[in-house]
PDB file of all heavy atoms in Angstrom:
ATOM      1  N   GLY J   1      94.750  82.264 145.005  1.00 98.00           N
ATOM      2  CA  GLY J   1      95.993  82.780 145.383  1.00 98.00           C
ATOM      3  C   GLY J   1      97.059  82.705 144.302  1.00 98.00           C
ATOM      4  O   GLY J   1      97.941  81.823 144.220  1.00 98.00           O
ATOM      5  N   ALA J   2      96.911  83.550 143.335  1.00 98.00           N
ATOM      6  CA  ALA J   2      97.843  83.589 142.198  1.00 98.00           C
ATOM      7  C   ALA J   2      98.076  85.113 141.859  1.00 98.00           C
ATOM      8  O   ALA J   2      97.449  85.932 142.324  1.00 98.00           O
ATOM      9  CB  ALA J   2      97.179  82.940 140.914  1.00 98.00           C
ATOM     10  N   VAL J   3      99.185  85.237 141.113  1.00 98.00           N
ATOM     11  CA  VAL J   3      99.563  86.679 140.654  1.00 98.00           C
ATOM     12  C   VAL J   3      99.706  86.726 139.192  1.00 98.00           C
ATOM     13  O   VAL J   3     100.073  85.747 138.549  1.00 98.00           O
ATOM     14  CB  VAL J   3     100.722  87.137 141.436  1.00 98.00           C
ATOM     15  CG1 VAL J   3     100.568  87.223 142.919  1.00 98.00           C
ATOM     16  CG2 VAL J   3     101.972  86.311 141.121  1.00 98.00           C
ATOM     17  N   TYR J   4      99.647  87.927 138.724  1.00 98.00           N
ATOM     18  CA  TYR J   4      99.940  88.224 137.260  1.00 98.00           C
ATOM     19  C   TYR J   4     101.091  89.114 137.233  1.00 98.00           C
ATOM     20  O   TYR J   4     101.085  90.197 137.858  1.00 98.00           O
ATOM     21  CB  TYR J   4      98.634  88.747 136.604  1.00 98.00           C
ATOM     22  CG  TYR J   4      98.927  89.460 135.206  1.00 98.00           C
ATOM     23  CD1 TYR J   4      99.552  88.587 134.306  1.00 98.00           C
ATOM     24  CD2 TYR J   4      98.588  90.672 134.903  1.00 98.00           C
ATOM     25  CE1 TYR J   4      99.679  89.133 132.972  1.00 98.00           C
ATOM     26  CE2 TYR J   4      98.784  91.258 133.680  1.00 98.00           C
ATOM     27  CZ  TYR J   4      99.341  90.407 132.672  1.00 98.00           C
ATOM     28  OH  TYR J   4      99.524  90.882 131.417  1.00 98.00           O
ATOM     29  N   PHE J   5     102.192  88.773 136.606  1.00 98.00           N
ATOM     30  CA  PHE J   5     103.398  89.522 136.473  1.00 98.00           C
ATOM     31  C   PHE J   5     103.447  90.176 135.062  1.00 98.00           C
ATOM     32  O   PHE J   5     102.939  89.530 134.021  1.00 98.00           O
ATOM     33  CB  PHE J   5     104.604  88.716 136.463  1.00 98.00           C
ATOM     34  CG  PHE J   5     104.864  87.874 137.719  1.00 98.00           C
ATOM     35  CD1 PHE J   5     104.534  86.646 137.867  1.00 98.00           C
ATOM     36  CD2 PHE J   5     105.445  88.525 138.858  1.00 98.00           C
ATOM     37  CE1 PHE J   5     104.659  85.837 139.078  1.00 98.00           C
ATOM     38  CE2 PHE J   5     105.706  87.890 140.021  1.00 98.00           C
ATOM     39  CZ  PHE J   5     105.397  86.562 140.136  1.00 98.00           C
ATOM     40  N   GLY J   6     103.856  91.412 135.025  1.00 96.00           N
ATOM     41  CA  GLY J   6     104.187  91.984 133.724  1.00 96.00           C
ATOM     42  C   GLY J   6     105.545  91.970 133.349  1.00 96.00           C
ATOM     43  O   GLY J   6     106.534  92.093 134.236  1.00 96.00           O
ATOM     44  N   ALA J   7     105.845  91.701 132.119  1.00 94.00           N
ATOM     45  CA  ALA J   7     107.244  91.744 131.548  1.00 94.00           C
ATOM     46  C   ALA J   7     107.143  92.836 130.514  1.00 94.00           C
ATOM     47  O   ALA J   7     106.126  93.172 129.984  1.00 94.00           O
ATOM     48  CB  ALA J   7     107.575  90.441 130.903  1.00 94.00           C
ATOM     49  N   VAL J   8     108.202  93.466 130.248  1.00 86.00           N
ATOM     50  CA  VAL J   8     108.299  94.681 129.342  1.00 86.00           C
ATOM     51  C   VAL J   8     108.288  94.245 127.925  1.00 86.00           C
ATOM     52  O   VAL J   8     109.183  93.494 127.479  1.00 86.00           O
ATOM     53  CB  VAL J   8     109.481  95.549 129.635  1.00 86.00           C
ATOM     54  CG1 VAL J   8     109.604  96.713 128.655  1.00 86.00           C
ATOM     55  CG2 VAL J   8     109.489  96.072 131.100  1.00 86.00           C
ATOM     56  N   GLY J   9     107.191  94.597 127.281  1.00 77.00           N
ATOM     57  CA  GLY J   9     107.130  94.363 125.810  1.00 77.00           C
ATOM     58  C   GLY J   9     108.285  95.096 125.130  1.00 77.00           C
ATOM     59  O   GLY J   9     108.644  96.156 125.526  1.00 77.00           O
ATOM     60  N   GLY J  10     108.665  94.558 123.976  1.00 76.00           N
ATOM     61  CA  GLY J  10     109.804  95.118 123.204  1.00 76.00           C
ATOM     62  C   GLY J  10     111.252  94.856 123.751  1.00 76.00           C
ATOM     63  O   GLY J  10     112.216  95.332 123.082  1.00 76.00           O
ATOM     64  N   CYS J  11     111.319  94.040 124.751  1.00 80.00           N
ATOM     65  CA  CYS J  11     112.606  93.736 125.381  1.00 80.00           C
ATOM     66  C   CYS J  11     112.834  92.188 125.280  1.00 80.00           C
ATOM     67  O   CYS J  11     113.652  91.664 126.043  1.00 80.00           O
ATOM     68  CB  CYS J  11     112.646  94.041 126.840  1.00 80.00           C
ATOM     69  SG  CYS J  11     112.605  95.822 127.050  1.00 80.00           S
ATOM     70  N   GLY J  12     112.241  91.574 124.227  1.00 83.00           N
ATOM     71  CA  GLY J  12     112.360  90.124 124.073  1.00 83.00           C
ATOM     72  C   GLY J  12     113.798  89.647 123.965  1.00 83.00           C
ATOM     73  O   GLY J  12     114.092  88.565 124.456  1.00 83.00           O
ATOM     74  N   ALA J  13     114.694  90.399 123.245  1.00 84.00           N
ATOM     75  CA  ALA J  13     116.028  90.014 123.124  1.00 84.00           C
ATOM     76  C   ALA J  13     116.791  89.952 124.487  1.00 84.00           C
ATOM     77  O   ALA J  13     117.574  89.096 124.725  1.00 84.00           O
ATOM     78  CB  ALA J  13     116.743  90.854 122.035  1.00 84.00           C
ATOM     79  N   LEU J  14     116.457  90.978 125.264  1.00 86.00           N
ATOM     80  CA  LEU J  14     117.061  91.059 126.533  1.00 86.00           C
ATOM     81  C   LEU J  14     116.622  90.014 127.473  1.00 86.00           C
ATOM     82  O   LEU J  14     117.236  89.431 128.296  1.00 86.00           O
ATOM     83  CB  LEU J  14     116.927  92.436 127.111  1.00 86.00           C
ATOM     84  CG  LEU J  14     117.613  93.563 126.448  1.00 86.00           C
ATOM     85  CD1 LEU J  14     117.133  95.024 126.995  1.00 86.00           C
ATOM     86  CD2 LEU J  14     119.137  93.357 126.420  1.00 86.00           C
ATOM     87  N   LEU J  15     115.180  89.851 127.538  1.00 91.00           N
ATOM     88  CA  LEU J  15     114.654  88.825 128.244  1.00 91.00           C
ATOM     89  C   LEU J  15     115.163  87.405 127.997  1.00 91.00           C
ATOM     90  O   LEU J  15     115.308  86.578 128.825  1.00 91.00           O
ATOM     91  CB  LEU J  15     113.105  88.869 128.198  1.00 91.00           C
ATOM     92  CG  LEU J  15     112.491  90.100 128.871  1.00 91.00           C
ATOM     93  CD1 LEU J  15     110.968  90.099 128.379  1.00 91.00           C
ATOM     94  CD2 LEU J  15     112.627  90.190 130.303  1.00 91.00           C
ATOM     95  N   SER J  16     115.491  87.130 126.717  1.00 92.00           N
ATOM     96  CA  SER J  16     115.985  85.830 126.398  1.00 92.00           C
ATOM     97  C   SER J  16     117.252  85.467 126.967  1.00 92.00           C
ATOM     98  O   SER J  16     117.619  84.401 127.131  1.00 92.00           O
ATOM     99  CB  SER J  16     115.992  85.689 124.776  1.00 92.00           C
ATOM    100  OG  SER J  16     117.064  86.521 124.242  1.00 92.00           O
ATOM    101  N   ASP J  17     118.101  86.565 127.351  1.00 93.00           N
ATOM    102  CA  ASP J  17     119.361  86.359 127.980  1.00 93.00           C
ATOM    103  C   ASP J  17     119.144  85.709 129.426  1.00 93.00           C
ATOM    104  O   ASP J  17     120.157  85.062 129.896  1.00 93.00           O
ATOM    105  CB  ASP J  17     120.115  87.631 128.205  1.00 93.00           C
ATOM    106  CG  ASP J  17     120.696  88.208 126.908  1.00 93.00           C
ATOM    107  OD1 ASP J  17     120.802  87.437 125.894  1.00 93.00           O
ATOM    108  OD2 ASP J  17     121.031  89.384 126.876  1.00 93.00           O
ATOM    109  N   CYS J  18     117.941  85.757 130.024  1.00 95.00           N
ATOM    110  CA  CYS J  18     117.660  85.126 131.216  1.00 95.00           C
ATOM    111  C   CYS J  18     117.446  83.606 131.151  1.00 95.00           C
ATOM    112  O   CYS J  18     117.347  82.924 132.167  1.00 95.00           O
ATOM    113  CB  CYS J  18     116.469  85.879 131.995  1.00 95.00           C
ATOM    114  SG  CYS J  18     116.833  87.616 132.186  1.00 95.00           S
ATOM    115  N   VAL J  19     117.148  83.172 129.994  1.00 96.00           N
ATOM    116  CA  VAL J  19     116.815  81.785 129.725  1.00 96.00           C
ATOM    117  C   VAL J  19     118.093  80.976 129.463  1.00 96.00           C
ATOM    118  O   VAL J  19     118.869  81.187 128.623  1.00 96.00           O
ATOM    119  CB  VAL J  19     115.920  81.616 128.423  1.00 96.00           C
ATOM    120  CG1 VAL J  19     115.528  80.123 128.272  1.00 96.00           C
ATOM    121  CG2 VAL J  19     114.584  82.472 128.537  1.00 96.00           C
ATOM    122  N   LYS J  20     118.300  79.975 130.370  1.00 97.00           N
ATOM    123  CA  LYS J  20     119.497  79.235 130.363  1.00 97.00           C
ATOM    124  C   LYS J  20     119.302  77.858 129.712  1.00 97.00           C
ATOM    125  O   LYS J  20     120.212  77.273 129.263  1.00 97.00           O
ATOM    126  CB  LYS J  20     119.988  78.923 131.889  1.00 97.00           C
ATOM    127  CG  LYS J  20     120.201  80.286 132.652  1.00 97.00           C
ATOM    128  CD  LYS J  20     121.098  81.293 131.909  1.00 97.00           C
ATOM    129  CE  LYS J  20     121.203  82.690 132.541  1.00 97.00           C
ATOM    130  NZ  LYS J  20     121.922  83.567 131.757  1.00 97.00           N
ATOM    131  N   LYS J  21     118.073  77.446 129.643  1.00 97.00           N
ATOM    132  CA  LYS J  21     117.793  76.172 128.943  1.00 97.00           C
ATOM    133  C   LYS J  21     116.369  76.134 128.443  1.00 97.00           C
ATOM    134  O   LYS J  21     115.528  76.769 129.120  1.00 97.00           O
ATOM    135  CB  LYS J  21     117.998  74.981 129.880  1.00 97.00           C
ATOM    136  CG  LYS J  21     117.850  73.650 129.246  1.00 97.00           C
ATOM    137  CD  LYS J  21     118.141  72.531 130.234  1.00 97.00           C
ATOM    138  CE  LYS J  21     117.885  71.227 129.523  1.00 97.00           C
ATOM    139  NZ  LYS J  21     118.111  70.017 130.525  1.00 97.00           N
ATOM    140  N   ALA J  22     116.059  75.701 127.237  1.00 97.00           N
ATOM    141  CA  ALA J  22     114.767  75.613 126.752  1.00 97.00           C
ATOM    142  C   ALA J  22     114.459  74.278 125.966  1.00 97.00           C
ATOM    143  O   ALA J  22     115.334  73.894 125.228  1.00 97.00           O
ATOM    144  CB  ALA J  22     114.422  76.808 125.858  1.00 97.00           C
ATOM    145  N   GLU J  23     113.363  73.720 126.241  1.00 97.00           N
ATOM    146  CA  GLU J  23     113.025  72.424 125.449  1.00 97.00           C
ATOM    147  C   GLU J  23     111.424  72.448 125.341  1.00 97.00           C
ATOM    148  O   GLU J  23     110.785  72.803 126.251  1.00 97.00           O
ATOM    149  CB  GLU J  23     113.467  71.254 126.275  1.00 97.00           C
ATOM    150  CG  GLU J  23     112.839  71.010 127.647  1.00 97.00           C
ATOM    151  CD  GLU J  23     113.315  69.648 128.312  1.00 97.00           C
ATOM    152  OE1 GLU J  23     113.501  68.672 127.520  1.00 97.00           O
ATOM    153  OE2 GLU J  23     113.630  69.744 129.522  1.00 97.00           O
ATOM    154  N   ILE J  24     111.032  71.968 124.241  1.00 97.00           N
ATOM    155  CA  ILE J  24     109.609  71.720 123.945  1.00 97.00           C
ATOM    156  C   ILE J  24     109.190  70.520 124.700  1.00 97.00           C
ATOM    157  O   ILE J  24     109.791  69.420 124.559  1.00 97.00           O
ATOM    158  CB  ILE J  24     109.428  71.605 122.314  1.00 97.00           C
ATOM    159  CG1 ILE J  24     109.705  72.918 121.651  1.00 97.00           C
ATOM    160  CG2 ILE J  24     107.941  71.236 122.140  1.00 97.00           C
ATOM    161  CD1 ILE J  24     109.513  72.791 120.273  1.00 97.00           C
ATOM    162  N   VAL J  25     108.075  70.645 125.483  1.00 98.00           N
ATOM    163  CA  VAL J  25     107.596  69.539 126.196  1.00 98.00           C
ATOM    164  C   VAL J  25     106.203  69.106 125.904  1.00 98.00           C
ATOM    165  O   VAL J  25     105.636  68.079 126.235  1.00 98.00           O
ATOM    166  CB  VAL J  25     107.612  69.853 127.691  1.00 98.00           C
ATOM    167  CG1 VAL J  25     109.084  69.959 128.237  1.00 98.00           C
ATOM    168  CG2 VAL J  25     106.819  71.075 128.028  1.00 98.00           C
ATOM    169  N   ALA J  26     105.465  69.882 125.027  1.00 98.00           N
ATOM    170  CA  ALA J  26     104.167  69.568 124.672  1.00 98.00           C
ATOM    171  C   ALA J  26     103.766  70.374 123.332  1.00 98.00           C
ATOM    172  O   ALA J  26     104.175  71.556 123.215  1.00 98.00           O
ATOM    173  CB  ALA J  26     103.154  69.759 125.750  1.00 98.00           C
ATOM    174  N   TYR J  27     102.897  69.704 122.532  1.00 98.00           N
ATOM    175  CA  TYR J  27     102.259  70.416 121.480  1.00 98.00           C
ATOM    176  C   TYR J  27     103.216  70.974 120.463  1.00 98.00           C
ATOM    177  O   TYR J  27     103.144  72.130 119.873  1.00 98.00           O
ATOM    178  CB  TYR J  27     101.260  71.589 121.804  1.00 98.00           C
ATOM    179  CG  TYR J  27     100.329  71.109 122.967  1.00 98.00           C
ATOM    180  CD1 TYR J  27     100.059  72.041 123.992  1.00 98.00           C
ATOM    181  CD2 TYR J  27      99.803  69.867 123.005  1.00 98.00           C
ATOM    182  CE1 TYR J  27      99.113  71.681 125.095  1.00 98.00           C
ATOM    183  CE2 TYR J  27      98.868  69.535 124.029  1.00 98.00           C
ATOM    184  CZ  TYR J  27      98.641  70.391 125.030  1.00 98.00           C
ATOM    185  OH  TYR J  27      97.722  69.998 126.161  1.00 98.00           O
ATOM    186  N   GLU J  28     104.146  70.112 120.099  1.00 97.00           N
ATOM    187  CA  GLU J  28     105.325  70.633 119.154  1.00 97.00           C
ATOM    188  C   GLU J  28     104.789  71.126 117.869  1.00 97.00           C
ATOM    189  O   GLU J  28     105.299  72.016 117.274  1.00 97.00           O
ATOM    190  CB  GLU J  28     106.311  69.447 118.913  1.00 97.00           C
ATOM    191  CG  GLU J  28     107.522  69.846 118.107  1.00 97.00           C
ATOM    192  CD  GLU J  28     108.573  68.812 118.037  1.00 97.00           C
ATOM    193  OE1 GLU J  28     108.374  67.634 118.612  1.00 97.00           O
ATOM    194  OE2 GLU J  28     109.536  69.102 117.479  1.00 97.00           O
ATOM    195  N   ASP J  29     103.533  70.585 117.367  1.00 98.00           N
ATOM    196  CA  ASP J  29     103.028  70.998 116.072  1.00 98.00           C
ATOM    197  C   ASP J  29     102.621  72.418 116.112  1.00 98.00           C
ATOM    198  O   ASP J  29     102.319  72.981 115.131  1.00 98.00           O
ATOM    199  CB  ASP J  29     101.779  70.121 115.755  1.00 98.00           C
ATOM    200  CG  ASP J  29     100.597  70.255 116.888  1.00 98.00           C
ATOM    201  OD1 ASP J  29     100.885  69.976 118.022  1.00 98.00           O
ATOM    202  OD2 ASP J  29      99.560  70.680 116.504  1.00 98.00           O
ATOM    203  N   LEU J  30     102.461  73.045 117.296  1.00 97.00           N
ATOM    204  CA  LEU J  30     102.147  74.569 117.327  1.00 97.00           C
ATOM    205  C   LEU J  30     103.322  75.477 117.084  1.00 97.00           C
ATOM    206  O   LEU J  30     103.226  76.677 117.078  1.00 97.00           O
ATOM    207  CB  LEU J  30     101.554  74.885 118.694  1.00 97.00           C
ATOM    208  CG  LEU J  30     100.255  74.182 119.116  1.00 97.00           C
ATOM    209  CD1 LEU J  30      99.786  74.583 120.502  1.00 97.00           C
ATOM    210  CD2 LEU J  30      99.168  74.586 118.102  1.00 97.00           C
ATOM    211  N   GLY J  31     104.538  74.876 116.803  1.00 94.00           N
ATOM    212  CA  GLY J  31     105.671  75.687 116.423  1.00 94.00           C
ATOM    213  C   GLY J  31     106.020  76.642 117.617  1.00 94.00           C
ATOM    214  O   GLY J  31     106.222  76.176 118.764  1.00 94.00           O
ATOM    215  N   ALA J  32     106.072  77.957 117.297  1.00 92.00           N
ATOM    216  CA  ALA J  32     106.482  78.914 118.251  1.00 92.00           C
ATOM    217  C   ALA J  32     105.614  78.926 119.566  1.00 92.00           C
ATOM    218  O   ALA J  32     105.958  79.197 120.640  1.00 92.00           O
ATOM    219  CB  ALA J  32     106.544  80.371 117.678  1.00 92.00           C
ATOM    220  N   GLU J  33     104.343  78.349 119.369  1.00 94.00           N
ATOM    221  CA  GLU J  33     103.334  78.425 120.398  1.00 94.00           C
ATOM    222  C   GLU J  33     103.338  77.066 121.214  1.00 94.00           C
ATOM    223  O   GLU J  33     102.499  76.886 122.044  1.00 94.00           O
ATOM    224  CB  GLU J  33     101.948  78.773 119.920  1.00 94.00           C
ATOM    225  CG  GLU J  33     101.858  80.159 119.428  1.00 94.00           C
ATOM    226  CD  GLU J  33     100.400  80.648 119.159  1.00 94.00           C
ATOM    227  OE1 GLU J  33      99.574  80.293 119.970  1.00 94.00           O
ATOM    228  OE2 GLU J  33     100.192  81.402 118.168  1.00 94.00           O
ATOM    229  N   ALA J  34     104.206  76.107 120.871  1.00 97.00           N
ATOM    230  CA  ALA J  34     104.337  74.836 121.681  1.00 97.00           C
ATOM    231  C   ALA J  34     104.782  75.206 123.127  1.00 97.00           C
ATOM    232  O   ALA J  34     105.238  76.282 123.402  1.00 97.00           O
ATOM    233  CB  ALA J  34     105.450  74.013 121.061  1.00 97.00           C
TER     234      ALA J  34
END
């Protein structure tokens, strides 16, 4: 019982406006992929 959502590629700057808080919680050494 799971679903796969699609987000529109190429709209990363617009999607980031929906993010109100962000913090690294694991694997900080992976940089952008943490």
Side-chain angles (χ1 to χ4, degrees):
V3 297
Y4 171 55
F5 298 98
V8 179
C11 292
L14 294 173
L15 292 171
S16 68
D17 287 343
C18 300
V19 180
K20 304 307 175 189
K21 186 175 179 184
E23 64 178 320
I24 294 175
V25 293
Y27 313 140
E28 187 171 4
D29 63 301
L30 294 178
E33 294 193 36

